[in-house]
Amino acid sequence: MKFEFKHLLNATLEEIETSFADKRYPPFLLQYHPSLQAIRVLESHLQKNRLLRRIHYLPKPLIHSIGPKKVDPSWFGFVEYSVYNFETKVLSFSNEPDNPYVRSMLLNQGEFLFSPLGNKTLRAVSGSLSLCLPERLGFLAPMGEYLIRKEGLKILLGEIPVMERFAQEVLRIKPPPSPRIPP
């Protein structure tokens, strides 16, 4: 399944780029995002004009059981492997599920393109999501892809007000002026 979304953020492109590497952003995101249970930065470093990241996310469980079988909340955990290119303004990503069984069936990758629009930024997301179930369950794949896409969109939409709030409350705060020492 291919997907595309566009979102307008009330933050400048510079603020968004700053938040990608800011160590204060992940705990801020966790505090205010309604769909996330845990976030852990595994790796984040600049390499020339690129920011390379590995971030572990644990969303709040969206499915509690499939028929009589309970679904372990860890099945929803994943690691985002991403590279942000400061020249092209593109963040390429691949999400790898924690659970080996889920990982063997799910592929999710794509990119975010960021375009400045004055004091706002357009975020265009495109990618693919495919669920490769065993043949006897293959008929459930389209419904599973739909549910995963729907929950992924909730995570993306939930990040917008948090990123805007981070820009306003953290990045735009000016330090108080230094006290003047009389001559």
Side-chain angles (χ1 to χ4, degrees):
M1 160 188 287
K2 301 275 186 204
F3 58 85
E4 288 186 15
F5 308 110
K6 290 186 179 182
H7 309 118
L8 189 61
L9 289 85
N10 288 314
T12 66
L13 180 57
E14 182 181 83
E15 290 168 338
I16 291 170
E17 289 178 332
T18 300
S19 69
F20 288 152
D22 195 309
K23 292 179 182 182
R24 300 169 294 178
Y25 185 66
F28 193 92
L29 179 62
L30 181 60
Q31 180 180 359
Y32 295 107
H33 198 294
S35 301
L36 295 176
Q37 190 169 299
I39 299 174
R40 188 177 53 187
V41 177
L42 305 173
E43 178 182 16
S44 179
H45 67 274
L46 287 168
Q47 191 176 63
K48 295 188 181 180
N49 64 337
R50 295 178 180 190
L51 175 66
L52 290 83
R53 304 183 317 165
R54 272 186 331 121
I55 302 174
H56 181 263
Y57 294 93
L58 183 59
K60 291 179 181 169
L62 62 122
I63 301 170
H64 300 286
S65 64
I66 299 173
K69 183 175 170 96
K70 296 279 184 200
V71 174
D72 186 331
S74 70
W75 281 24
F76 300 102
F78 66 94
V79 174
E80 170 198 298
Y81 293 84
S82 60
V83 177
Y84 182 72
N85 185 317
F86 287 93
E87 288 180 9
T88 62
K89 310 303 182 197
V90 172
L91 183 138
S92 301
F93 72 90
S94 176
N95 293 327
E96 184 176 288
D98 292 343
N99 183 288
Y101 182 68
V102 177
R103 188 179 319 128
S104 71
M105 296 185 293
L106 181 65
L107 179 64
N108 177 219
Q109 58 191 14
E111 64 182 29
F112 291 72
L113 172 62
F114 295 90
S115 303
L117 297 171
N119 289 332
K120 298 180 184 210
T121 303
L122 179 65
R123 177 175 79 172
V125 185
S126 63
S128 63
L129 172 70
S130 67
L131 189 56
C132 302
L133 297 176
E135 191 173 329
R136 69 186 194 296
L137 299 174
F139 69 96
L140 294 172
M143 183 173 57
E145 289 174 353
Y146 172 79
L147 287 172
I148 294 167
R149 178 187 159 279
K150 181 179 169 187
E151 292 305 311
L153 181 57
K154 282 183 190 176
I155 292 172
L156 290 175
L157 291 173
E159 184 183 23
I160 292 171
V162 179
M163 190 172 278
E164 293 171 344
R165 185 173 182 173
F166 184 76
Q168 183 178 20
E169 294 179 11
V170 178
L171 299 179
R172 294 179 194 158
I173 300 277
K174 304 272 189 255
S178 300
R180 295 191 75 190
I181 299 172

